[in-house]
């Protein structure tokens, strides 16, 4: 029962934001772009983003394309806990946008990850800035090369 309540809370938070963006732009606004990503060579950033979304049965959401890109490059799962971990990383990496801070603040509801957040922040701080990387600019690049340059670097303690 707790699992169902937790999932319901996750869907309400993210679902509300996605619903609003889809209301503004239309549900299929980015379908042509996603279809294009599916045609790119295997191992490219764009193809990997498309495969991640297809595996989760998600669509490209307006204003979230670059966010999805960061999930692929930084290797964070598309779960609420990993979303919050990624926001801690991105804040450490210099992203102080309202959406980033808003999603990070949801960490208050997940005490099981609190210990991870400082480590993710420090890892982001020590890594090359990914803030201005866009799906449009790197969709045809090899994912391995982009991960090598911008991927998460684990802190050595």
């Amino acid at each position: 029962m707790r699992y169902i309540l937790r999932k319901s809370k996750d869907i309400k938070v993210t679902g509300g934001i996605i619903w609003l963006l889809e209301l503004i732009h239309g549900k299929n606004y980015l379908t042509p772009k996603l279809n294009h990503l599916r045609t790119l060579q295997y191992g490219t950033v764009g193809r990997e983003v498309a495969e991640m979304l297809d595996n989760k049965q998600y669509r490209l959401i307006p204003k979230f394309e670059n966010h999805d890109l960061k999930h692929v490059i930084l290797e964070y799962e598309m779960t609420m806990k990993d979303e919050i971990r990624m926001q801690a990383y991105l804040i450490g990496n210099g992203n102080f946008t309202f959406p980033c801070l808003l999603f990070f603040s949801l960490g208050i509801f997940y005490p099981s990850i609190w210990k991870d957040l400082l480590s993710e922040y420090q890892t982001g701080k020590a890594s090359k800035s990914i803030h201005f990387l866009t799906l449009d600019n790197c969709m045809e690049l090899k994912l391995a090369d982009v991960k090598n340059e911008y991927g998460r670097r684990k802190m050595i303690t």
Side-chain angles (χ1 to χ4, degrees):
M1 183 63 161
R2 268 191 239 158
Y3 174 79
I4 293 170
L5 290 173
R6 198 171 337 130
K7 281 295 179 194
S8 172
K9 179 176 56 173
D10 292 351
I11 291 168
K12 285 179 187 174
V13 172
T14 58
I17 293 168
I18 291 169
W19 174 83
L20 179 62
L21 290 169
E22 287 182 337
L23 182 67
I24 293 167
H25 297 281
K27 278 190 174 189
N28 297 317
Y29 175 72
L30 291 176
T31 299
K33 185 173 190 173
L34 182 56
N35 288 337
H36 173 67
L37 296 177
R38 290 177 180 129
T39 68
L40 297 175
Q41 290 183 359
Y42 287 101
T44 61
V45 171
R47 181 68 175 255
E48 294 295 326
V49 168
E51 287 182 4
M52 175 192 68
L53 293 171
D54 288 344
N55 287 337
K56 294 284 187 178
Q57 297 180 331
Y58 291 163
R59 295 181 300 279
L60 267 180
I61 305 297
K63 309 295 182 193
F64 274 71
E65 308 99 310
N66 298 330
H67 179 83
D68 294 336
L69 166 73
K70 290 170 184 156
H71 273 283
V72 168
I73 293 170
L74 299 174
E75 299 178 355
Y76 286 101
E77 295 294 321
M78 294 182 100
T79 65
M80 189 55 79
K81 288 180 180 180
D82 254 22
E83 186 65 49
I84 295 164
R85 286 183 186 101
M86 186 170 86
Q87 300 312 315
Y89 174 94
L90 292 172
I91 291 168
N93 200 242
N95 184 352
F96 297 103
T97 62
F98 178 73
C100 186
L101 297 171
L102 178 67
F103 273 99
F104 175 74
S105 71
L106 296 174
I108 193 83
F109 299 110
Y110 298 92
S112 62
I113 66 166
W114 290 353
K115 63 180 174 46
D116 301 337
L117 298 180
L118 178 59
S119 174
E120 295 294 345
Y121 171 84
Q122 291 171 333
T123 302
K125 195 165 183 63
S127 299
K128 183 173 182 175
S129 178
I130 193 171
H131 185 65
F132 296 104
L133 201 59
T134 68
L135 183 56
D136 287 339
N137 291 337
C138 68
M139 70 173 72
E140 295 184 9
L141 300 177
K142 293 189 181 300
L143 178 60
D145 293 342
V146 177
K147 278 184 178 181
N148 188 47
E149 187 168 349
Y150 293 97
R152 243 183 331 169
R153 308 274 193 258
K154 292 289 183 190
M155 296 293 295
I156 299 171
T157 56

